[in-house]
Amino acid sequence: MSETTQRRRILILDGHPDPDPGRFCHALAAAYAQGAAGAGHLVHRLNLADLDVPPLTSRAEWESESSSPAVAAVQDDLLWAEHLVIIYPLWLGDLPARLKGLLEQVLRPAFAFHGEAVSPGAGRLKGRSARVIVTMGMPALIYRTVFLGHSLASLKRGVLGLVGFRPIRDTVIGGVETRRDRERVLARVGRMGARAA
């Protein structure tokens, strides 16, 4: 680790719900983790496919504290982390439902705002940074220009920014089914990990 790079606590959430090891999101999470650990950062990985978290079904449930040990463990990981990395595939123009469900469970107001009124940017996770990496079949340029990166913007502003994450950087990786430069992409993500960026 260089003298200018501080050692950071990094939580990587691999948000692909399919446990198949051939999924590119899993390789991206591994590359980021390897780059970060190799640079001396402390790394913890969570795999959505390994988590058993049911969806919320009512406003009363949303406004209460979770009694689920799995949800509490993810909340503890978020409090530990200084930098969060979320990696997921774009499905039907949005996050996979299981990833959205996990975020709803984990970021309830009782946790994210100490049960107080929601105030944008003033959440309990203030002072932490984030990186969002999204994979998709369409070209990244089409997603950003035609679809205006809608779901990514919603996640960054309406979820992560709301609870206090800042800065929030993103990487969009398009054409994943046909890419021939996967090793180059993995190397780039590994370098992000080394910089904790």
Coordinates of all heavy atoms in Angstrom, one line a residue, residues 105-157:
Q105 N -35.0 -4.4 3.5 CA -34.9 -5.0 4.8 C -33.8 -4.3 5.6 O -34.1 -4.0 6.8 CB -34.7 -6.5 4.7 CG -35.8 -7.3 4.4 CD -36.7 -7.7 5.6 OE1 -36.6 -7.1 6.7 NE2 -37.5 -8.7 5.5
V106 N -32.7 -4.2 5.1 CA -31.5 -3.7 5.8 C -31.6 -2.2 6.1 O -31.2 -1.8 7.2 CB -30.2 -4.0 5.0 CG1 -29.0 -3.3 5.6 CG2 -30.0 -5.5 5.0
L107 N -32.1 -1.4 5.2 CA -32.1 0.0 5.4 C -33.4 0.6 5.9 O -33.8 1.7 5.6 CB -31.7 0.7 4.0 CG -30.3 0.3 3.6 CD1 -30.0 0.9 2.2 CD2 -29.2 0.8 4.6
R108 N -34.1 -0.1 6.8 CA -35.3 0.4 7.4 C -35.0 1.6 8.2 O -33.9 1.8 8.7 CB -35.8 -0.7 8.4 CG -36.2 -2.0 7.8 CD -36.5 -3.0 8.9 NE -36.7 -4.3 8.5 CZ -37.7 -5.1 8.9 NH1 -38.5 -4.6 9.8 NH2 -37.8 -6.3 8.5
P109 N -36.0 2.5 8.3 CA -35.7 3.8 9.1 C -35.2 3.5 10.5 O -34.3 4.3 11.0 CB -37.1 4.4 9.1 CG -37.8 3.9 7.9 CD -37.3 2.5 7.8
A110 N -35.6 2.5 11.2 CA -35.1 2.2 12.5 C -33.6 2.0 12.6 O -33.0 2.4 13.5 CB -35.8 1.0 13.1
F111 N -33.1 1.5 11.5 CA -31.6 1.3 11.4 C -30.9 2.5 10.7 O -30.0 3.1 11.3 CB -31.3 0.0 10.6 CG -29.8 -0.1 10.3 CD1 -28.9 -0.4 11.2 CD2 -29.4 0.2 9.0 CE1 -27.5 -0.5 10.9 CE2 -28.0 0.1 8.6 CZ -27.1 -0.2 9.6
A112 N -31.4 2.8 9.5 CA -30.7 3.9 8.7 C -30.8 5.3 9.3 O -29.9 6.1 9.1 CB -31.3 3.8 7.3
F113 N -31.9 5.6 10.1 CA -32.1 6.9 10.6 C -32.3 6.9 12.1 O -32.9 7.8 12.7 CB -33.2 7.6 9.9 CG -32.9 7.9 8.4 CD1 -33.3 7.0 7.4 CD2 -32.2 9.0 8.1 CE1 -33.0 7.3 6.1 CE2 -31.9 9.3 6.8 CZ -32.3 8.4 5.8
H114 N -31.9 5.8 12.8 CA -32.1 5.7 14.2 C -33.6 5.8 14.6 O -33.9 6.3 15.7 CB -31.3 6.7 15.0 CG -29.8 6.5 14.9 ND1 -29.1 5.5 15.5 CD2 -28.9 7.3 14.3 CE1 -27.9 5.6 15.2 NE2 -27.7 6.7 14.5
G115 N -34.5 5.5 13.7 CA -35.9 5.6 13.9 C -36.4 7.1 13.9 O -37.6 7.3 14.2
E116 N -35.6 8.0 13.5 CA -36.0 9.4 13.4 C -36.5 9.8 12.0 O -36.4 8.9 11.1 CB -34.8 10.3 13.8 CG -34.4 10.1 15.3 CD -33.1 10.9 15.6 OE1 -32.7 11.7 14.8 OE2 -32.6 10.6 16.7
A117 N -36.9 11.0 11.8 CA -37.5 11.4 10.5 C -36.4 11.2 9.5 O -35.2 11.5 9.7 CB -37.9 12.8 10.6
V118 N -36.8 10.8 8.3 CA -35.9 10.6 7.2 C -35.4 12.0 6.7 O -36.3 12.8 6.4 CB -36.5 9.8 6.0 CG1 -35.6 9.8 4.8 CG2 -36.9 8.4 6.5
S119 N -34.1 12.2 6.7 CA -33.6 13.5 6.2 C -32.5 13.2 5.2 O -31.5 12.6 5.6 CB -33.0 14.3 7.4 OG -32.4 15.4 7.0
P120 N -32.7 13.5 3.9 CA -31.7 13.1 2.9 C -30.3 13.4 3.3 O -30.0 14.5 3.6 CB -32.2 13.9 1.7 CG -33.7 14.0 1.9 CD -33.8 14.2 3.4
G121 N -29.4 12.4 3.2 CA -28.0 12.6 3.4 C -27.6 12.6 4.8 O -26.4 12.6 5.1
A122 N -28.5 12.5 5.7 CA -28.2 12.6 7.2 C -28.3 11.3 7.9 O -28.5 11.2 9.1 CB -29.0 13.7 7.8
G123 N -28.4 10.2 7.1 CA -28.6 8.9 7.7 C -27.4 8.4 8.5 O -26.3 9.0 8.6
R124 N -27.6 7.3 9.2 CA -26.6 6.7 10.1 C -25.3 6.3 9.3 O -24.3 6.1 9.9 CB -27.3 5.5 10.7 CG -26.5 4.8 11.8 CD -27.3 3.7 12.3 NE -26.7 3.1 13.5 CZ -27.2 2.1 14.2 NH1 -28.4 1.6 13.8 NH2 -26.6 1.6 15.2
L125 N -25.4 6.1 8.0 CA -24.2 5.7 7.3 C -23.5 6.8 6.6 O -22.6 6.6 5.8 CB -24.7 4.7 6.2 CG -25.4 3.4 6.8 CD1 -26.1 2.6 5.8 CD2 -24.4 2.6 7.6
K126 N -23.7 8.0 7.1 CA -23.0 9.2 6.6 C -21.5 9.0 6.9 O -21.1 8.5 7.9 CB -23.5 10.4 7.4 CG -23.0 11.7 6.9 CD -23.7 12.9 7.6 CE -23.2 14.2 7.0 NZ -23.8 15.3 7.6
G127 N -20.7 9.5 5.9 CA -19.3 9.4 6.0 C -18.7 8.2 5.3 O -17.5 8.1 5.3
R128 N -19.5 7.4 4.7 CA -19.0 6.2 4.0 C -19.1 6.5 2.5 O -20.0 7.2 2.1 CB -19.8 5.0 4.4 CG -19.6 4.5 5.8 CD -20.8 3.6 6.3 NE -20.5 3.1 7.6 CZ -20.7 3.7 8.7 NH1 -21.2 4.9 8.7 NH2 -20.5 3.1 9.9
S129 N -18.2 5.9 1.7 CA -18.3 6.0 0.3 C -18.8 4.7 -0.3 O -18.9 3.7 0.4 CB -16.9 6.3 -0.3 OG -16.0 5.3 0.1
A130 N -19.2 4.8 -1.6 CA -19.7 3.6 -2.3 C -19.3 3.6 -3.7 O -19.0 4.6 -4.3 CB -21.2 3.6 -2.2
R131 N -19.3 2.4 -4.3 CA -19.0 2.1 -5.7 C -20.1 1.1 -6.1 O -20.3 0.1 -5.4 CB -17.7 1.5 -5.9 CG -17.5 0.8 -7.2 CD -17.3 1.7 -8.4 NE -16.1 2.5 -8.3 CZ -15.7 3.4 -9.2 NH1 -16.5 3.6 -10.3 NH2 -14.7 4.2 -9.1
V132 N -20.8 1.4 -7.2 CA -21.8 0.5 -7.7 C -21.3 0.1 -9.1 O -21.0 0.9 -9.9 CB -23.2 1.2 -7.9 CG1 -24.2 0.3 -8.5 CG2 -23.7 1.8 -6.5
I133 N -21.3 -1.2 -9.3 CA -20.9 -1.8 -10.6 C -22.1 -2.6 -11.1 O -22.6 -3.5 -10.5 CB -19.7 -2.7 -10.4 CG1 -18.5 -2.0 -9.8 CG2 -19.3 -3.4 -11.7 CD1 -17.3 -2.8 -9.5
V134 N -22.5 -2.2 -12.3 CA -23.7 -2.8 -13.0 C -23.3 -3.5 -14.3 O -22.6 -2.9 -15.1 CB -24.8 -1.8 -13.3 CG1 -26.1 -2.4 -13.8 CG2 -25.1 -0.9 -12.1
T135 N -23.7 -4.7 -14.4 CA -23.5 -5.4 -15.7 C -24.8 -5.5 -16.5 O -25.9 -5.5 -15.9 CB -22.9 -6.9 -15.5 OG1 -23.9 -7.7 -14.8 CG2 -21.6 -6.8 -14.7
M136 N -24.7 -5.6 -17.8 CA -25.9 -5.7 -18.6 C -25.6 -6.2 -20.0 O -24.5 -6.2 -20.4 CB -26.6 -4.3 -18.7 CG -25.7 -3.2 -19.3 SD -26.3 -1.5 -19.1 CE -26.2 -1.4 -17.3
G137 N -26.6 -6.6 -20.7 CA -26.5 -7.1 -22.0 C -26.3 -6.0 -23.1 O -25.6 -6.1 -24.0
M138 N -27.1 -4.9 -22.8 CA -27.0 -3.8 -23.8 C -25.7 -3.0 -23.7 O -25.1 -3.1 -22.6 CB -28.2 -2.9 -23.6 CG -28.1 -1.9 -22.4 SD -29.5 -0.8 -22.3 CE -30.6 -1.8 -21.3
P139 N -25.3 -2.3 -24.7 CA -24.1 -1.4 -24.5 C -24.3 -0.4 -23.4 O -25.4 0.2 -23.3 CB -24.0 -0.7 -25.9 CG -24.8 -1.6 -26.8 CD -25.9 -2.2 -26.0
A140 N -23.3 -0.1 -22.7 CA -23.3 0.9 -21.6 C -23.8 2.2 -22.1 O -24.5 2.9 -21.4 CB -22.0 0.9 -20.9
L141 N -23.3 2.6 -23.3 CA -23.7 3.9 -23.8 C -25.2 4.1 -24.0 O -25.8 5.1 -23.7 CB -22.9 4.2 -25.1 CG -23.2 5.6 -25.7 CD1 -22.7 6.7 -24.8 CD2 -22.5 5.7 -27.1
I142 N -25.8 3.0 -24.5 CA -27.3 3.0 -24.7 C -28.0 3.1 -23.3 O -28.9 3.9 -23.2 CB -27.7 1.7 -25.4 CG1 -27.1 1.6 -26.8 CG2 -29.3 1.6 -25.5 CD1 -27.6 2.7 -27.7
Y143 N -27.5 2.4 -22.3 CA -28.1 2.5 -21.0 C -28.0 3.9 -20.5 O -29.0 4.4 -19.9 CB -27.4 1.5 -20.1 CG -27.9 1.6 -18.6 CD1 -29.2 1.2 -18.3 CD2 -27.1 2.0 -17.6 CE1 -29.7 1.2 -17.0 CE2 -27.6 2.1 -16.3 CZ -28.9 1.7 -16.0 OH -29.4 1.8 -14.7
R144 N -26.9 4.5 -20.6 CA -26.7 5.9 -20.1 C -27.4 7.0 -20.9 O -27.9 7.9 -20.3 CB -25.2 6.2 -20.0 CG -24.5 5.4 -18.9 CD -23.2 6.1 -18.6 NE -22.3 5.4 -17.7 CZ -22.4 5.4 -16.3 NH1 -23.3 6.2 -15.8 NH2 -21.5 4.7 -15.6
T145 N -27.5 6.8 -22.2 CA -28.1 7.9 -23.0 C -29.5 7.7 -23.3 O -30.3 8.7 -23.2 CB -27.3 8.1 -24.3 OG1 -27.3 6.8 -25.0 CG2 -25.9 8.5 -24.1
V146 N -30.0 6.5 -23.7 CA -31.4 6.3 -24.0 C -32.2 6.1 -22.8 O -33.3 6.7 -22.6 CB -31.5 5.1 -25.0 CG1 -33.0 4.8 -25.2 CG2 -30.8 5.3 -26.3
F147 N -31.7 5.2 -21.8 CA -32.4 4.9 -20.6 C -32.0 5.8 -19.4 O -32.6 5.7 -18.4 CB -32.3 3.5 -20.2 CG -32.9 2.5 -21.3 CD1 -32.1 2.0 -22.2 CD2 -34.2 2.3 -21.3 CE1 -32.6 1.1 -23.2 CE2 -34.8 1.5 -22.3 CZ -34.0 0.9 -23.2
L148 N -31.0 6.7 -19.7 CA -30.6 7.7 -18.7 C -30.1 7.1 -17.4 O -30.2 7.7 -16.3 CB -31.7 8.7 -18.4 CG -32.2 9.5 -19.7 CD1 -33.3 10.4 -19.3 CD2 -31.1 10.2 -20.4
G149 N -29.7 5.8 -17.5 CA -29.2 5.1 -16.3 C -30.2 5.1 -15.1 O -29.8 5.3 -14.0
H150 N -31.4 5.0 -15.5 CA -32.5 5.2 -14.5 C -32.4 4.4 -13.2 O -32.4 5.0 -12.1 CB -33.9 4.9 -15.2 CG -35.0 4.9 -14.2 ND1 -35.5 6.1 -13.7 CD2 -35.7 3.9 -13.6 CE1 -36.5 5.8 -12.9 NE2 -36.7 4.5 -12.8
S151 N -32.2 3.1 -13.2 CA -32.2 2.4 -12.0 C -30.9 2.7 -11.2 O -30.9 2.7 -10.0 CB -32.3 0.9 -12.3 OG -31.1 0.4 -12.9
L152 N -29.8 2.9 -11.9 CA -28.6 3.3 -11.2 C -28.7 4.6 -10.5 O -28.3 4.7 -9.4 CB -27.4 3.3 -12.3 CG -26.1 3.7 -11.7 CD1 -25.6 2.8 -10.6 CD2 -25.1 3.7 -12.9
A153 N -29.3 5.6 -11.2 CA -29.5 6.9 -10.6 C -30.4 6.8 -9.3 O -30.2 7.4 -8.3 CB -30.1 7.9 -11.6
S154 N -31.4 5.9 -9.5 CA -32.4 5.7 -8.3 C -31.7 5.1 -7.1 O -31.9 5.5 -6.0 CB -33.5 4.8 -8.8 OG -34.4 4.5 -7.7
L155 N -30.8 4.1 -7.4 CA -30.1 3.5 -6.3 C -29.1 4.5 -5.7 O -29.0 4.5 -4.4 CB -29.3 2.3 -6.8 CG -28.3 1.6 -5.9 CD1 -29.1 1.0 -4.7 CD2 -27.6 0.5 -6.6
K156 N -28.4 5.2 -6.5 CA -27.4 6.2 -6.0 C -28.1 7.3 -5.2 O -27.6 7.6 -4.1 CB -26.6 6.8 -7.1 CG -25.6 5.8 -7.7 CD -24.9 6.3 -9.0 CE -24.1 7.5 -8.7 NZ -23.3 7.9 -9.9
R157 N -29.1 7.9 -5.7 CA -29.7 9.1 -5.1 C -30.8 8.7 -4.0 O -30.8 9.2 -2.9 CB -30.3 10.0 -6.1 CG -29.3 10.8 -6.9 CD -29.9 12.0 -7.6 NE -30.8 11.6 -8.7 CZ -30.5 11.3 -9.9 NH1 -29.2 11.5 -10.3 NH2 -31.4 11.0 -10.8

